[in-house]
Amino acid sequence: MEDRIETDSALARLADQLEGVGQEQVRHDDRLDTFEKSLHGVRAHVYELHGDVTEVRQEVAGLERAVTDTREALNSFIEQYGRDREVARAQAELTRLTTVFQADFAQRKQTRALARGLVHTLTAQAVHKKMVNTTTVRACAEERMLLEPTYWLAPAMMAVAANFRSDTEQGDRAKSHASTLDAAKAHLFFALTSSRLGNETEAASWMDTYLQSLNPEELGQDFCVVLDAIASNDLGEETLGYARQAMAGWNQSMHHTPTSTQWAARLRGMRRRLPEDGYAALRQTCGNQWDALRHGWELATVPGRTLAYLRLTFPDGPDGFDRPVSGGRHVESALERLINQLEPDEAHLLEQMRRLERIIEHDGDLKAAGQAHVSVPGPEAEPVTFTALLDQAVFEPDEARLGAAARRMALRAIWPSLKSTTRRIIAESERQLPPTVTLSVARHSVTLPTDPNQHVPPGPLVNGLAARLERQTQARSDAVVRRWPRVFGALLFGVVTGTLVVPFVDGAWRGLFFLFILTAVVWILWEVFGIPLRKRHVREQGDQARNEAVATLATALQQREDFFAEWHEGMQDLADLTLWGGAPKQH
């Protein structure tokens, strides 16, 4: 009975505990519901925050675009401001330089116009016919002298005006003053003016003085124009003689400078290049001799190639036909260029003005203005050396600033140098030419003369090589015999292997040793019965090698004749080149 009571009591306590657990479960469910509601609220808040972040991000992107647009607008404004500032500076500087140019050099335009008028043939005729008063001429020239006391053309005009009045004393003083200001231009002006007015003797004297004052290392465009006039005989025979003497002296002094090697380099560059596949058989049989032979052969082509080029460039020969009468147009061109030529200070100022104008035209874009700017030619623009001028005249006629007559005169000036240089090249080619050459084919060497006049029949040489190779082939064929030691060795190996090894092994090893035995049997059969096949193989190889060697030697012999015949013909072209140049004609 007591046990039952205790059991009931335990059950009651268990029921109370379960009821407590149920109540705790209810309270826990309430907490979970509360937490879930809170979680839903947090999630809604996160969604709302994500929307806000997206809006902020869009606003930031819009702000970045606005900042970029503002930066571009600012950069564009700064760039445009810089260009406007450059334009304003250029306009201000251009205005200043224009004022300076007008103040300092405006009178030179009138001086040049008066000079062109004074040196014109019609003016001289008008003065001689008393259509123009010499007093007026003197007054105009002296006025120019007063306005431009440092400009060489002003006293030069006074000398021309004094010549119209036959005032020798004033003319000499004016010539001396002009020569003091700019000797080269004054001397050239007096030479051209004297020629235009018909006084060739005085023109020749002044031209000689002008040529002697030049530096052959710095020749300007003036000399090129004058050389055209001299070569065209516009200045008379006496002037032509002085010019030839001056050029001969310059050319003579050139031999003592490193530039004398320029003609050698130029002529060597004209040689005929032997192609890589040219004379293949001869190159194959010559061995180490070929490089020297090829170089000498190429040098031998220099006279012929040079003569062909000169005939093409100067179809009328080095002296041409009788020089055509140009009517003085070269003198007129040279005189007009000399009068219109800007002085260094004038050209520098005009160059600055042109550069400023380009800046204004391109709205201050300095880079575009610099690319579009073309320099104004100055009085000493692009000077060239006498050597370079002659080189262009003869070997680069398209680049030369000379006419046909002047280029022929340049050719005549350098002709002695070209001839001596060509002779030295041919002498070097002769040193490269050996008396004999050795051809080697299949370890068989043949030494032959290089003189094409010494004919060597190819038949005996080719037949001798074929017979020698045939004997070698026959000897190798006869050497093919049965090699009994190898036969007995292979037989012994097979017997020993079959009797002492195979019975004591099994599996894969037995198969391997059976393979060894089979190989020994095949070897024995080949050594005993394969003699005819081996002899035939040796014979076929020998016949093929003999045919190739004979063909190579025959081709090499023929190429040897052609090669050395062309070599000697090339060296003989030196006489034709010398004959074409000949001696200068006496005019």
Side-chain angles (χ1 to χ4, degrees), residues 430-509:
E430 290 178 345
R431 290 192 297 270
Q432 297 285 343
L433 178 61
T436 59
V437 62
T438 301
L439 306 183
S440 299
V441 181
R443 298 182 181 180
H444 178 70
S445 298
V446 179
T447 301
L448 303 170
T450 59
D451 187 354
N453 296 324
Q454 300 180 13
H455 179 68
V456 178
L461 298 178
V462 173
N463 294 335
L465 176 63
R468 181 174 180 273
L469 295 179
E470 176 64 24
R471 290 194 299 271
Q472 292 178 355
T473 302
Q474 185 62 42
R476 287 196 297 269
S477 177
D478 294 341
V480 178
V481 294
R482 292 183 178 86
R483 293 165 289 192
W484 293 111
R486 296 187 179 184
V487 173
F488 292 138
L491 180 61
L492 180 61
F493 173 78
V495 172
V496 171
T497 303
T499 57
L500 300 180
V501 177
V502 172
F504 302 99
V505 296
D506 56 1
W509 285 105

Side-chain angles (χ1 to χ4, degrees), residues 309-324 404-405 407-408 411-412 580-581 585:
Y309 169 79
L310 293 178
R311 283 175 174 170
L312 180 63
T313 307
F314 301 95
D316 297 334
D319 297 301
F321 300 112
D322 293 337
R323 290 186 298 275
R407 289 191 290 106
R408 284 197 299 268
L411 172 62
R412 179 55 65 190
W580 181 85
K585 296 179 181 180

